[in-house]
Amino acid sequence: MNNIPPQNRALLRIGDQNIELPTMSGTLGPDVIDTRALGNHGHFTYDPGFLSTASCTSSITYIDGDQGLLYYRGYPIEQLAEHADFLEVAYLLWHGELPNADQKREFDGLVSHHTMLHDQMNHLFCGFRRDAHPMAVMVAMIGAMAAFYPESGDVGDPHQREISMFRLLAKVPTAAAWSYKYNKGEPFMYPQNRMSYAENFLYMLHANPCESYQPSPTLVRALDRIFILHADHEQNASTSTVRLAGSSYANPFACIAAGIACLWGPLHGGANEAVLRMLEEIGDVNRIGEIIQRAKDKTNPFRLMGFGHRVYKNMDPRAAIMRQTCHEVLDELGLHDDPLFRIALKLEQIALEDDYFIDKKLYPNVDFYSGIVLRALGIPTSMFTAIFALARTAGWIAQWSEMVSTPGHKIARPRQLYTGPGRRDFVPIDRRG
Ligand code: SDX
């Protein structure tokens, strides 16, 4: 510790113990206190929910919750949403730099040539009931890919890591679209390599063998932007799940399946589906006051879905871009008077004027408007979280790759504060009360 300057030391006093811990500074954001040595002094830190705990170092995404900033590899989300396409962003998240024209062409080509699922996976879909939720199917399908690509378990091999990342980026949209086609009892539509990533997804979702299908460029651009907005978000619950699973050197398909499972929760990626159902339940702007009161009632577990965030204590920058996309898509479709959008705009306005939301710094998050755009794009509510998972796969694979390729990383193994019974002896059943 003596070689560490005082300004980079934290002093912890416990009883008559003075414990000095080093602090670490990143490129942006708050410093951290390195508590790894605290165990040697007979103490653990306690932070369920990880409100003040950094689980890793990462150079991929930076969020400033107070300023409402989101950078992917240093580029503001507003600029990427405006000027980049999703595969360009996936390349950036993965490699750390934007691709030049040749690199972009090669990357797009490699993704296009991995979009088909192994043909035997078709049989896996048939094992589900027709009403299986797409997220349940996605967890199964992505996890099952580990059985079709067993060599992917060699996560120490950079080539295996790279081919798995391409397979995941390319095949998750196909699995997502086919889970919906299976729900509808319609034939699977095979990916079209001549199409862009977002265009191909809309094709696999909406086309059928009996007629031609060509989505409008505006709708394709809107969906591609939605993918960009959802691509990564530092160490959120599902990304932390992917990192935790990956820390044991588990197969990458299993790790991404774990991330999909975590994202499904209504407090996380499942919120976009919950927002739309909430807006449908409100049904009329005159009922907004009632829903606001319900959200404020501490005796009621109801939350205003699409509002609040662990990190953002200001407007989620993605929500503002999503709201603008709503205007563009609804105008393009002649739906600018869409009743749910009107309700959402009024709900946002009322909530942001209410002291409860102001005091608790509850603002719309990425999920608040996404459902309205997706619904306008003809995407069914049941698919909203699957689309979040599709887009977040780009961030998950980048975060997973960053972790497994970091020399000296350790398996994640949190400790606990034990509150159970002290040691006691076994009591035979005939002597129990
Ligand atoms: C995503 O982490 C990420 O980055 C996630 C994400 C990503 O890109 O990966 O951004 C995607 O998951 C966005 C969040 C989507 N979820 C929702 O919209 C569900 C509704 N929101 C909440 O449940 C909540 O705001 C969370 C889960 C998002 C955040 O929860 P926290 O940080 O644990 O905060 P909290 O539950 O402790 O809330 C603090 C206070 C509480 O009141 P008190 O107990 O202090 O009196 O604010 C209240 C909460 O009751 N509160 C809400 C509320 N959100 C928080 N009250 C009403 N409605 C809400 N939506």
Side-chain angles (χ1 to χ4, degrees):
M1 272 308 243
N2 296 333
N3 60 347
I4 297 176
Q7 65 270 26
N8 298 129
R9 291 187 220 162
L11 181 59
L12 189 58
R13 183 173 178 74
I14 304 175
D16 56 2
Q17 270 192 11
N18 285 324
I19 300 169
E20 282 200 334
L21 296 167
T23 63
M24 298 162 67
S25 301
T27 321
L28 297 169
D31 289 353
V32 297
I33 300 171
D34 183 344
T35 58
R36 283 176 286 186
L38 203 50
N40 302 334
H41 299 276
H43 288 79
F44 298 144
T45 60
Y46 178 70
D47 184 12
F50 307 119
L51 285 93
S52 302
T53 295
S55 61
C56 62
T57 57
S58 178
S59 58
I60 298 174
T61 294
Y62 174 70
I63 301 171
D64 181 322
D66 295 325
Q67 301 296 319
L69 305 178
L70 170 56
Y71 301 156
Y72 291 165
R73 299 285 192 178
Y75 292 98
I77 190 67
E78 294 82 0
Q79 296 183 23
L80 293 170
E82 181 68 30
H83 302 297
D85 71 31
F86 175 69
L87 286 185
E88 203 170 0
V89 168
Y91 183 101
L92 172 67
L93 291 171
W94 181 342
H95 293 290
E97 298 296 337
L98 288 165
N100 62 34
D102 290 340
Q103 291 164 334
K104 178 74 168 56
R105 207 172 6 262
E106 182 190 15
F107 190 77
D108 288 5
L110 280 166
V111 171
S112 294
H113 285 84
H114 283 285
T115 49
M116 282 210 293
L117 302 184
H118 190 293
D119 215 38
Q120 284 179 233
M121 291 194 76
N122 292 16
H123 305 300
L124 298 182
F125 285 92
C126 301
F128 287 95
R129 285 180 8 184
R130 283 286 180 182
D131 61 352
H133 193 288
M135 287 297 278
V137 178
M138 292 270 288
V139 170
M141 287 298 151
I142 304 312
M145 285 181 194
F148 287 87
Y149 308 106
E151 66 283 1
S152 57
D154 183 3
V155 299
D157 178 346
H159 170 70
Q160 287 303 334
R161 291 203 298 267
E162 183 179 60
I163 185 72
S164 294
M165 291 164 76
F166 273 115
R167 283 174 171 151
L168 281 158
L169 194 57
K171 296 179 193 301
V172 167
T174 310
W178 287 14
S179 65
Y180 175 59
K181 283 298 194 184
Y182 184 73
N183 284 159
K184 290 179 67 180
E186 288 185 7
F188 296 146
M189 297 306 288
Y190 280 80
Q192 299 298 305
N193 292 351
R194 59 184 167 75
M195 291 184 174
S196 72
Y197 196 85
E199 187 183 10
N200 180 41
F201 180 69
L202 284 172
Y203 171 84
M204 292 190 290
L205 203 63
H206 291 317
N208 67 61
C210 309
E211 53 204 14
S212 64
Y213 172 85
Q214 188 59 51
S216 90
T218 305
L219 302 190
V220 170
R221 179 65 192 131
L223 184 61
D224 191 80
R225 186 185 298 166
I226 289 170
F227 290 165
I228 290 172
L229 296 177
H230 288 82
D232 196 51
H233 214 236
E234 66 159 61
Q235 305 312 317
N236 57 85
S238 53
T239 299
S240 299
T241 300
V242 171
R243 279 183 172 259
L244 195 77
S247 73
S248 72
Y249 278 158
N251 181 291
F253 297 103
C255 297
I256 301 303
I260 295 172
C262 177
L263 185 74
W264 195 4
L267 295 186
H268 190 11
N272 55 18
E273 183 176 340
V275 166
L276 207 82
R277 299 197 193 287
M278 177 184 74
L279 294 174
E280 288 167 343
E281 183 199 337
I282 294 173
D284 184 300
V285 291
N286 298 318
R287 289 198 59 221
I288 287 175
E290 173 195 325
I291 211 90
I292 295 268
Q293 288 314 310
R294 202 192 317 169
K296 292 161 63 174
D297 177 358
K298 298 310 294 171
T299 63
N300 190 326
F302 174 76
R303 292 279 179 92
L304 198 62
M305 301 316 280
F307 262 75
H309 199 277
R310 172 60 58 74
V311 177
Y312 289 122
K313 301 309 171 191
N314 198 325
M315 184 78 170
D316 181 334
R318 302 169 296 175
I321 300 168
M322 200 67 81
R323 181 173 54 204
Q324 178 53 37
T325 304
C326 265
H327 280 294
E328 292 168 9
V329 169
L330 294 173
D331 285 348
E332 157 93 3
L333 297 172
L335 299 173
H336 37 268
D337 288 330
D338 176 273
L340 291 188
F341 187 43
R342 295 289 148 225
I343 292 170
L345 289 171
K346 191 67 180 167
L347 179 57
E348 176 189 1
Q349 178 202 332
I350 295 173
L352 294 185
E353 291 166 358
D354 185 290
D355 289 343
Y356 174 91
F357 291 87
I358 294 168
D359 296 346
K360 294 181 187 297
K361 297 183 178 180
L362 301 175
Y363 290 86
N365 58 52
V366 67
D367 293 305
F368 187 63
Y369 285 103
S370 57
I372 299 168
V373 189
L374 292 171
R375 177 174 161 274
L377 293 175
I379 290 166
T381 307
S382 64
M383 280 295 291
F384 288 0
T385 311
I387 284 174
F388 195 151
L390 181 166
R392 186 53 57 88
T393 296
W396 287 333
I397 60 178
Q399 298 270 354
W400 170 79
S401 175
E402 181 181 63
M403 180 196 64
V404 294
S405 52
T406 301
H409 98 275
K410 301 177 82 65
I411 189 168
R413 203 278 186 220
R415 302 306 300 271
Q416 63 173 16
L417 177 65
Y418 177 69
T419 56
R423 187 192 181 287
R424 53 184 173 165
D425 292 326
F426 182 78
V427 179
I429 193 163
D430 57 2
R431 286 168 42 196
R432 293 173 204 157

